[in-house]
Amino acid sequence: MLLDNMVTVAVPLKYEIDLNTHGFVTPASFVYGTNENEASATCMEENINFTFHVINAGPSMAPNINLELMIPNAFPPHDFKLFNVMDIKTTVGECSYKEYPRNCSAAEKTGNILKDVVTFFSKPAKRQMYCMKNDSLCLQIHCKLGNMENGKEVIIQLHLEATPSLLEMDDASTLKFEVRATASPEKNAKVIELQKDKQVAYVYLEGVHHQKPKYRVTVLIIGIGLIAGITLFLLLSLLLWKIGFFKRQYKPVPQDMNRRDSWSFTSGNKDD
């Protein structure tokens, strides 16, 4: 007879998680383009506010959740920053990113009026901005949210400002920024992700060009139009002179010989 027996049974523990990620931005669009009336270019006064929600809708706890934000932040091949990070807050955990100095001064540009004219007439209607995997030209923000119980929600708020490098762009009529937010658990064989497609959210920010040409472009277009008009007028005048339009003799219109003589009235005394 055996007494005080103990049996240890190892039960493998697995986590079934169902992360839902969604977000939005305010304002959803902004106006950009060169403003030559201002003495110096500055950053946009109104902040661009992103809000992201991560919810654990699965039946069990989601361990060690991370959130990655990818924001297009440069026009290749240049590395001028398009956005400055003003603030980032999260209800749980902490967020980090590679910091860089806040810059609200416009980069020096070499003036080329012919290039400006070509750009004005040939700029594409829309330019799509998006991030590749581990894209160095994108602003990458990583948030560690920790363990998320079933039904728990985490809110991340991000405040950006547009730099002059973005506000003075003239390369497209519309810019569309694709901001990607991806929630994922730490690599673990015990974690089962039920719906991975819901873990990724896309938020779109649109910039609309004011469609006002630069002053020197306007002057050049008007000047070319005047020169072309005067040249066309002189060529037309020369052509008419060559065919003798200005050498014709004036011929009076012949009078009608058969018309009735006009009545003449004379005043006099009647004989009684």
Side-chain angles (χ1 to χ4, degrees):
M1 183 176 179
L2 299 176
L3 299 176
D4 298 332
N5 294 326
M6 183 177 64
V7 178
T8 302
V9 179
V11 179
L13 179 64
K14 290 185 179 292
Y15 300 94
E16 288 187 350
I17 65 173
D18 185 8
L19 296 176
N20 293 341
T21 306
H22 60 276
F24 60 90
V25 59
T26 55
S29 62
F30 62 93
V31 178
Y32 71 96
T34 303
N35 189 354
E36 297 182 348
N37 295 329
E38 296 182 359
S40 59
T42 58
C43 292
M44 188 170 69
E45 295 181 359
E46 183 180 9
N47 286 347
I48 301 172
N49 304 311
F50 288 91
T51 302
F52 298 94
H53 297 259
V54 180
I55 305 172
N56 179 19
S60 60
M61 180 190 71
N64 299 326
I65 301 303
N66 299 315
L67 179 69
E68 181 188 54
L69 302 178
M70 298 288 288
I71 305 170
N73 201 30
F75 285 100
H78 305 291
D79 193 24
F80 303 128
K81 302 303 181 184
L82 304 180
F83 298 102
N84 291 326
V85 179
M86 304 302 295
D87 188 24
I88 182 169
K89 297 178 181 178
T90 176
T91 55
V92 175
E94 58 181 3
C95 298
S96 62
Y97 61 94
K98 184 179 180 181
E99 297 186 10
Y100 51 88
R102 180 174 181 261
N103 184 14
C104 280
S105 59
E108 295 184 1
K109 296 182 179 180
T110 56
N112 189 334
I113 189 170
L114 294 180
K115 181 180 178 181
D116 292 337
V117 173
V118 172
T119 301
F120 177 73
F121 286 105
S122 62
K123 68 175 60 176
K126 180 177 290 187
R127 182 170 180 177
Q128 184 85 15
M129 303 291 295
Y130 57 91
C131 294
M132 305 293 288
K133 186 176 182 180
N134 299 324
D135 197 333
S136 61
L137 296 178
C138 289
L139 173 60
Q140 304 180 34
I141 300 176
H142 300 276
C143 298
K144 295 182 178 180
L145 309 181
N147 297 334
M148 295 183 62
E149 298 292 340
N150 178 26
K152 186 176 182 179
E153 179 182 11
V154 179
I155 301 175
I156 298 93
Q157 293 179 325
L158 173 64
H159 306 286
L160 303 178
E161 67 174 354
T163 65
S165 298
L166 170 58
L167 298 178
E168 293 193 346
M169 286 297 300
D170 283 324
D171 293 346
S173 299
T174 304
L175 297 174
K176 190 172 184 180
F177 296 88
E178 180 186 274
V179 179
R180 185 175 72 246
T182 306
S184 60
E186 194 175 54
K187 295 295 182 181
N188 192 332
K190 296 181 180 180
V191 176
I192 301 174
E193 301 173 67
L194 298 179
Q195 301 186 62
K196 288 188 177 182
D197 56 331
K198 292 185 178 181
Q199 297 176 193
V200 182
Y202 295 93
V203 179
Y204 295 95
L205 173 66
E206 190 171 67
V208 181
H209 196 274
H210 57 39
Q211 300 297 334
K212 296 178 182 178
K214 295 181 180 179
Y215 176 75
R216 57 184 182 181
V217 174
T218 304
V219 172
L220 181 61
I221 293 175
I222 294 175
I224 293 176
L226 288 175
I227 294 174
I230 294 173
T231 303
L232 182 61
F233 174 76
L234 293 177
L235 290 176
L236 183 60
S237 300
L238 179 62
L239 178 62
L240 293 176
W241 181 77
K242 286 290 186 181
I243 63 177
F245 180 80
F246 300 107
K247 298 180 180 180
R248 296 184 303 168
Q249 298 294 330
Y250 175 74
K251 296 181 180 181
V253 178
Q255 297 182 355
D256 186 8
M257 303 303 296
N258 297 325
R259 67 181 181 176
R260 296 174 57 187
D261 294 332
S262 60
W263 291 88
S264 61
F265 296 90
T266 57
S267 60
N269 296 327
K270 290 184 179 181
D271 296 335
D272 294 333

